């Protein structure tokens, strides 16, 4: 198995090699074909001119005497013609016209090309022209093409080398941040969630991968801290009632206390605390399988909210809190009524719990036909939530003020349950809060 860097280098080199070979070879073959075609047409043109010339001489004199005396009136043995033999109608040599051999023209005679053209006047054979020509490889065009190919392949070799270096550089640039992200992921698996150094990349997708891994590490770090905090909270919550129950029973067993109804009642209250803690943990377990536990039906959301508010009027009155509502009638949507009722109750419970005497809690339900959503807003004038705590309030067992929430009986899973229910309905929940001024929760659910 190759690593990413090797894979990139091999792929780049293969791509460059294919392009570096296919393109030059194609150009070379194309030039070769065109040059050969050009040389062939040029030779045909010269042979045609020579045939016309000698046929004209024979017509003029009715013999080959003039041709025998020919010197330089017409240069019919042009390149690539080396020599021309003029034969009479009986194939006897009349005259040999031979071009002077220069350096660079010398090649083996067996490689020379021979063409024969019959000469006719009114369908009567008067003679034959035999052309001896250089092959294309020895022609000026062929020699040029050979030099061009050598230059081309030298250039390609240089480009391949440069491309190889460039491929190595590009592969290094691409693979370096990915390798770093891989190492970062390995450290996360070992429990080291907080990054030690900043990782960046100028490639959008890789930067998104880096950011995702960093976010994952931060989230896992938060979860680990919350888990440790949760274990400490649960241990504390268990220890207190167990210690009290044990002390009461030991006092009764040792005869220090009499099992009076009052003391038995105190012991039962501590048992109830244990029972409530177990229920909270059981409620937490339902969060993981919330999607599968849903049963959606078309229901009257307006009436459901009104009923929930009505059940909280006595509790709000006992704390001298004003509970106001503005509910639009006739809002229907598909929902799991018991689960949504539980989410609303959790939000109202928190609002009353953290709103002091004389405060106001406002509940509104509005429908937005344009966006096909319904929005439930629950606002209070309570103690509010610090800005640093807002990102974590939906985490399980997260409590902004441990002493205050423990005094009020909260275990820190109410908002986690709310978020799970809302998201199971394909909805969204948003919180806005100012410390000391109040908090507002906005629950948006799709109408369909």
């Amino acid at each position: 198995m190759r690593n990413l860097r090797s894979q990139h280098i091999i792929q780049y080199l293969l791509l460059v090699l294919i392009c570096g070979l296919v393109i030059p070879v194609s150009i070379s073959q194309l030039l070769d074909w065109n040059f050969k075609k050009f040389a062939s047409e040029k030779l045909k043109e010269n042979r045609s001119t020579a045939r016309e010339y000698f046929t004209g001489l024979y017509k003029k004199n009715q013999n080959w005497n003039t041709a025998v005396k020919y010197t330089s009136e017409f240069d019919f043995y042009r390149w690539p013609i080396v020599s021309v033999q003029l034969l009479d109608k009986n194939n006897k040599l009349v005259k040999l016209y031979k071009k002077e051999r220069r350096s660079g023209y010398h090649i083996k005679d067996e490689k020379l090309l021979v063409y024969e053209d019959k000469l006719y006047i009114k369908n009567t054979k008067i003679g034959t022209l035999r052309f001896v020509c250089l092959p294309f490889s020895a022609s000026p065009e062929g020699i040029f093409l050979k030099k061009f190919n050598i230059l081309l392949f030298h250039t390609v070799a240089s480009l391949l080398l440069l491309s190889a270096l460039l491929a190595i550089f590009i592969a290094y640039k691409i693979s370096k941040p990915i390798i770093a992200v891989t190492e970062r992921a390995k450290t996360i698996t070992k429990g080291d969630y907080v990054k030690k150094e900043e990782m960046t990349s100028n490639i959008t997708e890789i930067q998104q991968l880096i950011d995702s891994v960093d976010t994952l590490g931060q989230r896992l770090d938060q979860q680990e801290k919350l888990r440790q905090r949760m274990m400490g909270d649960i241990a504390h919550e268990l220890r207190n009632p167990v210690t009290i129950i044990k002390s009461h029973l030991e006092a009764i067993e040792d005869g220090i206390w009499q099992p009076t109804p009052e003391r038995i009642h105190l012991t039962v209250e501590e048992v109830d605390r244990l029972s409530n803690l177990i229920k909270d943990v059981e409620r937490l377990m339902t969060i993981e399988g919330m999607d599968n536990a849903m049963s959606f039906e078309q229901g009257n959301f307006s009436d459901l909210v009104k009923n929930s508010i009505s059940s909280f009027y006595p509790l709000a009155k006992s704390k001298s809190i004003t509970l106001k509502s503005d509910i639009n009638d006739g809002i229907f949507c598909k929902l799991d009524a018991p689960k949504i009722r539980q989410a609303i109750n959790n939000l109202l419970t928190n609002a009353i719990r953290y709103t002091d005497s004389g405060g106001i809690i406002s509940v509104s339900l509005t429908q937005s036909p344009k966006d096909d959503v319904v929005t439930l807003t629950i606002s209070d004038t309570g103690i509010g939530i610090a800005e640093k705590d807002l990102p974590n309030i939906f985490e399980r067992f997260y409590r902004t003020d441990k002493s205050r929430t423990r005094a009020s009986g909260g275990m820190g899973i109410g908002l986690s349950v709310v978020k799970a229910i809302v998201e199971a309905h394909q909805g969204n929940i948003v919180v806005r809060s100012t410390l000391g001024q109040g908090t507002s929760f906005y629950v948006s659910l799709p109408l369909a």
Side-chain angles (χ1 to χ4, degrees):
M1 184 178 294
R2 292 187 292 266
N3 59 35
L4 180 64
R5 189 172 297 171
S6 300
Q7 191 79 12
H8 273 278
I9 292 174
I10 292 173
Q11 289 175 351
Y12 286 136
L13 289 180
L14 285 176
L15 180 62
V16 171
L17 189 62
I18 291 172
C19 294
L21 291 180
V22 171
I23 294 176
V25 169
S26 301
I27 293 174
S28 176
Q29 292 295 326
L30 186 61
L31 287 174
D32 183 74
W33 181 79
N34 279 283
F35 273 132
K36 284 183 178 179
K37 182 180 178 183
F38 168 75
S40 176
E41 291 176 351
K42 180 181 177 183
L43 178 60
K44 288 180 181 179
E45 181 183 344
N46 292 343
R47 287 164 56 191
S48 176
T49 303
R51 287 196 306 270
E52 292 175 2
Y53 178 75
F54 281 102
T55 302
L57 286 179
Y58 192 89
K59 280 183 180 180
K60 187 176 182 181
N61 301 290
Q62 296 300 312
N63 57 52
W64 292 114
N65 293 335
T66 306
V68 173
K69 298 175 182 178
Y70 171 81
T71 55
S72 59
E73 292 180 15
F74 177 70
D75 185 11
F76 53 81
Y77 42 85
R78 297 172 183 147
W79 188 272
I81 299 173
V82 176
S83 65
V84 179
Q85 294 178 5
L86 175 60
L87 308 175
D88 63 14
K89 60 183 178 181
N90 298 318
N91 288 331
K92 291 183 179 180
L93 182 64
V94 176
K95 180 72 174 179
L96 172 64
Y97 304 95
K98 194 173 184 181
K99 183 179 288 188
E100 179 186 354
R101 294 287 186 100
R102 304 175 185 174
S103 59
Y105 292 179
H106 300 299
I107 61 174
K108 294 181 180 180
D109 291 340
E110 60 266 19
K111 292 187 178 180
L112 294 173
L113 306 175
V114 179
Y115 301 92
E116 285 190 355
D117 291 342
K118 308 296 183 182
L119 302 178
Y120 293 91
I121 295 179
K122 295 181 180 180
N123 296 327
T124 301
K125 181 182 176 181
I126 61 173
T128 302
L129 285 176
R130 182 176 292 164
F131 298 91
V132 179
C133 305
L134 288 172
F136 175 75
S137 60
S139 67
E141 294 86 358
I143 294 171
F144 168 79
L145 184 60
K146 189 182 296 182
K147 291 180 179 179
F148 174 80
N149 286 338
I150 293 173
L151 178 62
L152 181 63
F153 283 108
H154 283 169
T155 303
V156 169
S158 301
L159 289 176
L160 284 175
L161 179 60
L162 291 175
S163 299
L165 296 176
L166 182 62
I168 294 172
F169 174 74
I170 293 175
Y172 176 80
K173 290 288 289 183
I174 292 177
S175 61
K176 183 180 178 181
I178 296 179
I179 293 173
V181 171
T182 303
E183 294 300 320
R184 173 85 178 94
K186 288 180 180 178
T187 60
I188 290 176
T189 61
K190 296 176 182 177
D192 186 5
Y193 304 122
V194 182
K195 60 183 178 181
K196 294 181 174 61
E197 57 182 17
E198 190 75 20
M199 294 183 295
T200 58
S201 174
N202 56 1
I203 300 175
T204 302
E205 291 78 6
I206 296 179
Q207 186 60 49
Q208 290 174 348
L209 175 62
I210 292 172
D211 294 340
S212 297
V213 173
D214 285 341
T215 302
L216 173 63
Q218 293 170 5
R219 295 288 293 174
L220 288 174
D221 184 59
Q222 293 173 359
Q223 289 295 325
E224 178 62 20
K225 291 177 179 177
L226 288 173
R227 185 188 67 82
Q228 294 174 356
R229 181 173 174 177
M230 176 192 72
M231 297 304 294
D233 289 346
I234 292 178
H236 180 84
E237 296 293 336
L238 288 172
R239 187 184 304 110
N240 282 350
V242 168
T243 301
I244 294 173
I245 293 170
K246 182 181 178 181
S247 64
H248 287 186
L249 294 177
E250 285 178 347
I252 294 173
E253 181 183 27
D254 294 339
I256 299 174
W257 276 8
Q258 294 300 315
T260 62
E262 293 80 6
R263 287 168 180 168
I264 292 176
H265 179 70
L266 290 175
T267 305
V268 171
E269 285 184 345
E270 297 304 320
V271 173
D272 288 340
R273 285 183 59 188
L274 278 176
S275 178
N276 290 333
L277 177 60
I278 293 171
K279 288 180 181 178
D280 283 341
V281 175
E282 288 176 344
R283 288 170 60 201
L284 175 62
M285 295 296 293
T286 64
I287 296 176
E288 305 297 337
M290 187 64 71
D291 290 344
N292 297 327
M294 288 292 173
S295 177
F296 295 97
E297 293 180 357
Q298 190 75 5
N300 190 324
F301 197 13
S302 301
D303 289 347
L304 190 149
V305 175
K306 289 178 181 178
N307 292 336
S308 294
I309 295 172
S310 298
S311 64
F312 278 86
Y313 276 125
L315 181 60
K317 186 176 181 180
S318 66
K319 287 190 64 176
S320 300
I321 295 173
T322 301
L323 184 55
K324 300 192 299 183
S325 64
D326 181 14
I327 310 300
N328 289 354
D329 294 325
I331 298 178
F332 288 83
C333 60
K334 278 196 172 183
L335 46 82
D336 185 324
K339 294 293 192 303
I340 287 293
R341 180 73 179 264
Q342 180 184 359
I344 297 172
N345 290 348
N346 285 359
L347 291 175
L348 288 174
T349 298
N350 280 352
I352 293 175
R353 179 179 295 165
Y354 299 116
T355 300
D356 294 330
S357 178
I360 300 173
I361 297 175
S362 302
V363 182
S364 67
L365 182 67
T366 58
Q367 180 178 342
S368 175
K370 182 179 180 181
D371 298 327
D372 292 330
V373 297
V374 57
T375 302
L376 171 68
T377 304
I378 299 179
S379 302
D380 62 59
T381 58
I383 62 175
I385 304 171
E387 186 176 354
K388 66 180 180 64
D389 292 318
L390 284 176
N392 302 313
I393 62 170
F394 293 109
E395 299 293 343
R396 287 170 274 178
F397 291 97
Y398 186 85
R399 298 186 297 188
T400 59
D401 187 339
K402 295 176 66 176
S403 60
R404 186 159 188 160
T405 52
R406 182 174 293 117
S408 58
M411 275 297 298
I413 68 169
L415 291 180
S416 300
V417 173
V418 172
K419 184 179 181 183
I421 293 173
V422 171
E423 290 181 347
H425 282 75
Q426 305 300 316
N428 185 41
I429 182 169
V430 177
V431 59
R432 295 188 179 91
S433 182
T434 302
L435 193 63
Q437 296 184 16
T439 303
S440 296
F441 285 92
Y442 303 88
V443 177
S444 299
L445 298 180
L447 288 175

